[in-house]
């Protein structure tokens, strides 16, 4: 198992770590059993992700995928953010070891989960917009 | 670089490499050949065999070299199980994967396996073994010392129970050999696995002690090497290195135990004093001299290791084989840790070559790293 | 000293040892460890795997390192047999003991074995294989080249027959690898065994090629090494040495074949001209470049070897594993030799490092030794 | 397998190799299949083994045991020669590797076989004197 330089860079210097006090979109995916938990905080204004922060409990890849995912969606529209795939996360990190691919899935789902939360807060059913991944408590390691 | 993962593997000691070099160069004969270079190789193997035998208090004829500790485990377990009539076999929940997966394999192939539980310190209760033994039990395998948490089992007492029921008793002593005193007669075990690379010898060499009279099928068929019981052209240089490393380990045993034990206890104390929310895994005193295993709440082990690595500190979060796997350590779960805590463990394994300065450096680096990861963790609330 | 037993083992080439040294010293990490020294070791293994794969025309994912050629044979044979439904398996009468004894073991454990005969030159007749194949045949294992008489089998043709019947085909290429061109795609084999110490690499390392999709059970259970198929901490230095030796062998293949073949043929001619009552065993042309095998009537092989050894010439009377055994070579009996002639064989195996001068010296020493032993023999009458 | 210096000495410089033209006792044991054949020639006078020679087809140990056995009985009485055991042959050679012990048995039997031949030539049934080992064509390797 060997991480790319890009992964190591995002692990050693993760971007957007922390919480947002007045976040209007918060998502959490993963679970303790699996050993990876990602929590995403967003400040969404006019359909645009103005600010985003994360907190992650997990391996190097979990930290790096959280970091890059926040970078990839920051300043983007909700629609653009929802189109983020785990594949795009992997590509942006210049690859992930096979056993760590689930972390990229988790990152994708964390973003979606936060956006789903945003819709819920506004009384909108997120399901048709975000898809069914909004309540991901089953982690891929249990598959 | 500070290397404190000696339970994963050790550097070859310079004296050991010196002894190996002739067999990597001019003394290259095949030990089965009758001419001079073959005889030299054969003698070198005999010498190494005598060294291992002496270190274990065994007879030379009871020592069989293998290609690894894992092979010794596989051979012992499958070999004894397959030569027996009974279909019930016993091991523990905290064995190394070489033992555990061999038992699981047998479990899928007609055997019934009992996995003994351990207490919070990782100790097997002899009463549990007594209760598990059946008429048709044909093998008991319990490791001497655990590779993750360092807990040392009461092997003598456990082997005695096996003896009373005439059941062959195997112990995986890969972590214990060369680090604590071991004597097969005193322990009363029938089979015992060891590996060279854990004691300053080369990788790719192990040995199995098989008490005379123990029924065991062959694992590797072919030539007549190792008293006809383990075919393969011998890894002569590796075997020579193993013999030498064992000899050195025995010579310095008391000194090394004293040194690493005090380093271990010093380190444990310092960590406990300076990092909150940490838990020492394994038995406080019945543990390998060099073993330290801490769980740091709210953080995950791999991240911790990567950050230590960036500071030039090489340590582990459990056994080397499980790194890169998604499952938390089966050993930590067996001693009752919660999943998320089991994920956050750090194993430091000192050798006699580590120093107090190194221990201090590790603690100094560890404090901010743990804090940084906690600050990043959604589980941590100040 | 003249060493002409390169089929028994070879000295490690200096370039190979150079490549190994860092992994015997500072680069000692466990390849399963995630920190720097572990990653370095892991990369070194990947590089070696790529070298072996390239030498065989295989994919890297199809190469599994083992602790010896014998282990590769054991794994291939038992692993395929045990994962199949059919209970009939086929091999030849002239296999190395690692193959033969694995088949005999299976023969004692529920399998029916057909041992194909060979002709006087040691060749398997493809028609015999065709005739032996049954509905329930689940494995065919035929060696690429014989270790005693050097005969090279028509593997491509034989493997084609296996393919037509969808039967997994294994070949023991321990003697052939690095000495003649081999390509798993061209040959069409499913499994192929190799060993490092026959090609200028270290003892105690082998590899098994397993074609993608081949059903095979695990042989060594434990850690996740070798794509989870062969547990054991890797013999990193040994594997690195194997990769390097394979690379060198492939680079110099044509040159080495030309050199050893002409030395072999020169030597054969000289012996035949100067010693009466001798017989060349093995095929005259379909034979390994370095292999010479003569039977000298009226004399016994071990005595011959001892006398050569006293003159500083290291050779063999068959495979290294059978020296010291009382039985005459099963290979020589299989090609139709009388017992007393089978007892009197001499195997000379040249490498590219042997010279014409050495060949001349051997013949010069051999003539009076053969005569002296014949004069001492009750079977010889002038 | 490692030969003692004594074995190597007797192998490299075997004593009493050859035939005796006017031998009055000749014995042969072993067989080709086994790979060891020992032939002993004796000249016996007044119950004393005046001269003894051997020819052997076999391994180093076969040659050495032949050589030492002839030395051990040369000049001895028949009775003394008959008391030669394979154990004595091994001891005189300072040991033999386990797989080669049968050669010492062969040497003992070769001596007995020659003496049996001596009695037979005189019309005496050797069986009660020499024992049953006089017609050893079965070699130990077939056991
Ligand atoms: C044809 C053949 N197969 C298998 C082996 C066994 O290989 P290893 O010596 O690596 O166990 C050998 C050599 O010993 C051999 O010549
Ligand atoms: C307790 C224990 N058993 C077995 C093994 C396997 O030994 P090897 O690495 O030589 O295969 C190890 C180490 O890897 C170990 O720690």
């Amino acid at each position: 198992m060997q991480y790319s330089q890009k992964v190591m860079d995002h692990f050693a210097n993760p971007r957007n770590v922390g919480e947002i006090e007045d976040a209007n979109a918060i998502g959490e995916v993963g679970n303790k059993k699996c050993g990876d938990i990602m929590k995403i905080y967003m400040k969404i204004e006019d359909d645009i992700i103005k600010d985003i922060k994360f907190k992650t409990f997990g391996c190097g890849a979990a930290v790096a995928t959280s970091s890059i995912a926040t970078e990839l969606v920051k300043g983007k529209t909700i629609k653009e953010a929802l189109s983020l795939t785990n594949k795009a996360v992997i590509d942006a990190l210049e690859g992930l070891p096979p056993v760590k691919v689930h972390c990229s899935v988790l990152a994708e789902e964390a973003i979606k989960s936060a956006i789903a939360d945003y819709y819920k807060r506004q009384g909108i059913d997120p399901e048709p917009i975000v898809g069914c991944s909004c309540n991901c408590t089953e982690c891929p390691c249990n598959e | 670089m500070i290397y404190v993962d000696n339970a994963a593997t050790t550097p070859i000691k310079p004296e050991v490499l010196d002894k190996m070099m002739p067999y990597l160069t001019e003394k290259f004969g095949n030990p089965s050949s009758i001419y001079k270079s073959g005889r030299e190789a054969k003698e070198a193997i005999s010498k190494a065999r005598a060294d291992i035998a002496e270190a274990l208090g065994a007879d030379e004829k009871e020592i069989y070299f293998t290609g690894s500790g894992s092979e010794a485990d596989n051979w012992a377990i499958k070999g004894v199980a397959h030569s027996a009539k009974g279909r019930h076999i016993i091991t523990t929940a905290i064995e190394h994967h070489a033992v555990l997966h061999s038992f699981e394999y047998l479990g899928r192939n007609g055997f019934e396996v009992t996995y003994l539980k351990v207490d919070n310190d990782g100790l097997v209760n002899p009463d549990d073994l007594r209760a598990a033994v059946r008429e048709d039990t044909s093998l008991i395998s319990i490791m001497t010392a655990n590779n993750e948490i360092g807990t040392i089992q009461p092997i003598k007492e456990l082997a005695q129970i096996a003896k009373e029921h005439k059941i062959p008793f195997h112990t995986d002593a890969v972590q214990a050999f060369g680090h604590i005193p071991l004597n097969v007669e005193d322990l009363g075990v029938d089979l015992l696995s060891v590996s060279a690379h854990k004691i300053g010898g080369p990788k790719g060499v192990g040995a199995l002690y098989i008490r005379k009279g123990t029924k065991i099928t062959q694992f590797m068929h072919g030539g007549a090497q190792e008293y006809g019981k383990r075919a393969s052209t011998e890894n002569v240089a590796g075997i020579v290195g193993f013999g030498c490393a064992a000899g050195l380990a025995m010579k310095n045993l008391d000194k090394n135990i004293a040194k690493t034990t005090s380093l271990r206890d010093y380190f444990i104390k310092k960590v406990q004093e300076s990092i909150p929310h940490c838990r020492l895994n394994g038995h406080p005193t019945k543990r390998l001299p060099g073993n330290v295993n801490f769980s740091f709440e709210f953080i995950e082990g791999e991240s911790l290791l990567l950050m230590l690595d960036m500071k030039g500190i090489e340590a582990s979060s459990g056994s080397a084989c499980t790194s890169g796997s998604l499952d938390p350590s089966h050993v930590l779960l067996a001693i009752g840790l919660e999943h998320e805590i089991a994920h956050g463990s750090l194993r430091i394994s000192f050798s006699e070559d580590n120093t107090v300065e190194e221990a201090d450096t590790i603690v100094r680096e560890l404090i901010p790293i743990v804090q940084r990861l906690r600050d990043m963790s959604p589980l941590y609330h100040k």
Side-chain angles (χ1 to χ4, degrees), chain A, chain B:
Chain A
M1 207 204 56
Q2 171 80 358
Y3 286 133
S4 68
Q5 280 204 320
K6 195 81 181 246
V7 172
M8 285 311 292
D9 173 38
H10 275 268
F11 169 71
N13 312 294
R15 330 300 197 243
N16 308 312
V17 178
E19 301 177 11
I20 299 177
E21 290 280 311
D22 58 342
N24 56 4
I26 300 179
E28 184 174 312
V29 296
N31 66 38
K32 295 177 187 180
K33 197 168 173 204
C34 174
D36 292 303
I37 300 177
M38 287 184 197
K39 193 162 184 181
I40 298 272
Y41 301 81
M42 291 179 182
K43 180 84 191 165
I44 301 180
E45 278 171 27
D46 303 330
D47 253 25
I48 299 217
I49 298 166
K50 289 277 180 193
D51 198 9
I52 181 166
K53 298 250 185 232
F54 79 90
K55 280 207 159 181
T56 288
F57 163 81
C59 62
V63 173
T65 53
S66 310
S67 165
I68 196 104
T70 57
E71 273 212 327
L72 287 170
V73 302
K74 192 170 177 175
K76 296 285 162 63
T77 62
I78 289 183
K79 204 172 154 223
E80 284 167 329
L82 284 175
S83 71
L84 179 79
T85 61
N86 80 304
K87 176 86 179 45
V89 171
I90 295 176
D91 288 347
L93 286 173
E94 289 161 11
L96 271 182
V99 291
K100 298 297 186 183
V101 166
H102 71 286
C103 294
S104 67
V105 176
L106 226 48
E108 175 192 330
E109 290 176 345
I111 301 288
K112 289 187 174 144
S113 165
I115 293 173
D117 178 57
Y118 173 73
Y119 284 120
K120 272 191 229 151
R121 289 177 191 227
Q122 307 188 1
I124 303 171
D125 178 11
E127 185 100 31
I129 309 166
V130 178
C132 63
S133 61
C134 35
N135 210 355
C136 163
T137 44
E138 276 305 304
C139 71
C141 68
N142 291 333
E143 274 165 20
Chain B
M1 203 255 284
I2 298 179
Y3 185 77
V4 281
D5 199 11
N6 293 282
T9 196
T10 55
I12 299 180
K13 288 187 188 293
E15 307 92 306
V16 171
L17 188 56
D18 279 354
K19 283 274 190 304
M20 291 171 66
M21 283 315 288
Y23 299 94
L24 292 169
T25 51
E26 75 275 12
K27 299 194 176 183
F28 64 84
N30 188 316
S32 296
S33 301
I34 64 168
Y35 43 72
K36 184 154 172 290
S37 73
R39 293 193 307 266
E40 281 172 351
K42 182 135 215 159
E43 276 162 43
I45 291 175
S46 299
K47 166 85 179 55
R49 197 187 309 281
D51 285 341
I52 305 288
E54 198 192 320
L56 287 171
D59 189 280
E60 290 166 37
K61 298 225 172 75
E62 298 174 316
I63 303 296
Y64 300 85
F65 287 109
T66 65
S68 64
S70 297
E71 187 191 329
D73 285 341
N74 273 261
W75 181 16
I77 292 162
K78 297 174 191 170
V80 170
H82 282 138
S83 75
K85 285 204 198 75
R87 281 289 166 272
H88 178 237
I89 51 184
I90 301 175
T91 188
T92 80
I94 60 161
E95 299 294 316
H96 186 267
H97 282 149
V99 170
L100 217 49
H101 291 171
S102 291
F103 270 86
E104 288 166 5
Y105 162 79
L106 291 172
R108 288 190 303 273
N109 287 275
F111 288 84
E112 201 181 322
V113 185
T114 299
Y115 297 95
L116 299 176
K117 295 211 170 64
V118 294
D119 69 14
N120 290 343
D121 290 331
L123 281 173
V124 172
N125 186 336
D127 286 336
D128 288 349
L129 176 58
R130 260 184 217 102
V133 167
R134 305 192 324 206
E135 267 295 302
D136 63 340
T137 305
S138 54
L139 171 66
I140 299 169
S141 179
I142 300 178
M143 73 199 312
T144 311
N146 186 270
N147 45 306
E148 294 190 35
I149 57 176
T151 301
I152 299 171
Q153 303 295 339
I155 293 298
K156 188 172 178 165
E157 198 179 340
L158 297 164
Q160 181 57 35
I161 297 170
K163 202 175 207 159
E164 282 159 18
H165 295 83
K166 298 205 173 57
I167 303 166
F169 188 96
H170 167 252
T171 189
D172 175 344
V174 168
Q175 288 291 336
F177 182 59
H179 297 294
I180 59 173
L182 285 182
N183 182 298
V184 291
E185 289 311 323
D186 178 48
L187 293 173
V189 299
D190 301 305
L191 305 108
L192 182 147
S193 307
V194 294
S195 182
H197 73 98
K198 309 287 189 185
I199 61 164
K203 294 175 181 60
V205 194
L208 181 61
Y209 158 79
I210 308 177
R211 181 181 292 279
K212 247 170 241 152
T214 306
K215 273 198 206 150
I216 182 163
T217 60
Q218 211 166 321
F219 185 60
M220 203 85 84
H221 290 87
Q225 292 92 350
E226 300 297 306
Y227 306 118
K229 283 215 176 133
R230 197 266 182 185
S232 289
T233 300
E234 300 91 334
N235 179 350
V236 183
I239 287 171
V240 166
F242 192 11
C244 176
L248 285 174
M250 296 327 285
K251 201 179 90 185
N252 302 317
L253 190 60
D254 294 340
K255 201 171 66 188
N256 291 347
I257 290 176
K259 199 183 157 197
T260 46
T261 305
S262 83
L263 192 58
R264 172 193 82 188
D265 292 341
Y266 171 80
F267 181 78
I268 288 173
K269 192 154 161 280
K270 279 211 101 176
V271 169
Q272 285 173 330
E273 283 168 4
S274 44
I275 304 182
H277 308 296
C278 71
R279 184 202 133 115
L280 179 69
N281 299 312
H283 196 278
T285 56
K286 292 176 190 165
R287 79 186 298 142
L288 288 173
N291 176 284
V292 176
N293 189 308
F294 272 113
S295 286
F296 297 102
E297 278 187 74
F298 318 123
I299 68 176
E300 194 273 343
E302 193 204 276
S303 291
L304 185 56
L305 295 192
L306 288 172
M307 293 221 166
L308 285 169
D309 184 30
M310 292 190 293
K311 298 292 181 186
I313 297 165
E314 302 197 330
S316 152
S317 72
S319 81
C321 303
T322 56
S323 75
S325 113
L326 300 167
D327 302 322
S329 151
H330 65 285
V331 176
L332 297 181
L333 294 179
I335 60 171
L337 261 60
E338 297 289 318
H339 267 83
E340 74 268 30
I341 301 182
H343 274 292
S345 79
L346 172 68
R347 179 185 72 183
I348 299 270
S349 43
F350 292 112
S351 80
E352 62 277 10
D353 295 332
N354 289 116
T355 62
V356 174
E357 291 69 43
E358 287 179 326
D360 285 337
T361 306
I362 298 170
V363 177
R364 200 168 54 240
E365 299 287 359
L366 196 56
I367 297 168
I369 287 175
V370 168
Q371 193 53 51
R372 194 173 161 205
L373 286 169
R374 283 181 175 166
D375 287 342
M376 211 189 279
S377 169
L379 302 174
Y380 179 64
H381 304 284
K382 275 169 268 198

